[in-house]
Amino acid sequence: MLTGLRGLLALTVLAWTLLPDPLSGWLFLPLWVLSSWLILSGSLEVARLRRRVWLDQYLLAESGWHHLLRGGLLMTAWHLLIASMLGLFMLARLLHTNGWLWLILLAQVPVLWLLGSWLDLRLRAHLKASVRAALVRRLSVPLAMLPLLALYLLFSLGMPQPYMTGVGWGEAVAEHLPPAQSSLALLAVFERAYLLLDLSLQWALQNMLGGVDESGALALLAWSLLLLGGVAFAWAWVRMLVGVSVVVSRRSHS
């Protein structure tokens, strides 16, 4: 059931990217809310588990500070901000994907199932049942994200790009930055931000072999942008899929 829900979510997002504008713009807000909520659910579970371990280590069991310091509105607001930004960036990036990247992303559904089953089997003899599922989800995120990140970076470097060697950054942006596909203002802003980031990355990669004084800074900029964008995208996608498990687990317990 859990794998089916994850697959349905991934296919729903895929279908959204294929819809024409303005239909895709109308459906963006509910999809953004859904993806942000799932990312938030997983992030809050990890944060509260980490906070609980810290409190149990330092506070007496009868201390009233357990309730005071367990994490409330401030923690939720902070993780909601991060989840919203990650959801926006992920959806903007997904508007500019092709079949190969989608195959990589859809492959995360069985990968997470295999990782979860393997981790649960390995940890069953060592962890309490009350925290085992949460720790399995926590460990599944980086383990699934790392191969996805590697494939994403290889995919990004292999995509055809406009020739910008020897061209200034401003001139490259003015000439090669494509328009946003969405007519919805909020999505269009983040879509343009992603396109600007991607163009800046490719410009830096193409020009980092110039003079000795410039190549070091451009190389650092290029690889930093590539890694930062890849980590944000891969983390958001995996965290969203894992968030399905968090929500299902909460519903079953309640």
Side-chain angles (χ1 to χ4, degrees):
M1 174 184 175
L2 181 60
T3 302
L5 289 175
R6 287 173 175 167
L8 179 62
L9 173 64
L11 290 174
T12 299
V13 179
L14 169 60
W16 171 75
T17 64
L18 300 176
L19 293 175
D21 195 60
L23 183 57
S24 61
W26 297 338
L27 295 177
F28 162 71
L29 287 177
L31 193 60
W32 178 35
V33 171
L34 175 62
S35 60
S36 300
W37 175 50
L38 293 173
I39 295 171
L40 173 66
S41 299
S43 298
L44 278 180
E45 181 185 54
V46 172
R48 286 171 176 163
L49 181 63
R50 184 168 55 244
R51 179 68 63 88
R52 191 200 319 170
V53 171
W54 185 86
L55 293 177
D56 290 343
Q57 181 177 1
Y58 289 100
L59 296 182
L60 296 174
E62 64 273 12
S63 173
W65 286 8
H66 281 279
H67 178 75
L68 182 65
L69 300 175
R70 67 182 181 180
L73 183 60
L74 185 60
M75 177 187 288
T76 302
W78 171 248
H79 284 276
L80 177 59
L81 176 63
I82 296 175
S84 300
M85 295 299 101
L86 286 174
L88 276 172
F89 178 78
M90 180 188 68
L91 293 176
R93 174 66 182 91
L94 288 173
L95 288 175
H96 298 271
T97 60
N98 61 24
W100 286 109
L101 181 57
W102 265 109
L103 288 177
I104 296 172
L105 294 175
L106 289 173
Q108 291 302 300
V109 175
V111 166
L112 284 171
W113 176 77
L114 290 172
L115 272 175
S117 301
W118 179 75
L119 287 170
D120 185 73
L121 182 63
R122 298 286 294 180
L123 299 176
R124 185 176 295 273
H126 306 282
L127 297 179
K128 298 178 180 179
S130 58
V131 298
R132 187 174 67 246
L135 287 174
V136 165
R137 286 190 288 267
R138 180 179 181 180
L139 293 173
S140 296
V141 172
L143 290 177
M145 192 199 76
L146 288 177
L148 173 60
L149 175 61
L151 292 172
Y152 174 84
L153 295 179
L154 291 174
F155 173 84
S156 299
L157 291 173
M159 287 291 292
Q161 297 292 336
Y163 183 77
M164 296 175 286
T165 302
V167 178
W169 179 79
E171 182 181 349
V173 170
E175 184 176 351
H176 298 291
L177 184 65
Q181 295 182 10
S182 177
S183 60
L184 186 67
L186 180 61
L187 180 57
V189 168
F190 276 85
E191 186 183 353
R192 291 279 288 181
Y194 161 72
L195 292 172
L196 180 61
L197 174 66
D198 185 64
L199 186 68
S200 300
L201 163 67
Q202 296 300 329
W203 172 84
L205 287 173
Q206 292 183 27
N207 288 276
M208 70 182 186
L209 299 178
V212 176
D213 295 336
E214 298 180 357
S215 60
L218 285 176
L220 180 62
L221 172 65
W223 292 112
S224 297
L225 288 174
L226 181 63
L227 184 61
L228 179 62
V231 167
F233 179 73
W235 187 269
W237 180 260
V238 175
R239 179 65 78 186
M240 180 185 70
L241 294 179
V242 171
V244 175
S245 175
V246 178
V247 173
V248 170
S249 177
R250 288 178 182 172
R251 292 289 179 89
S252 62
H253 287 314
S254 61

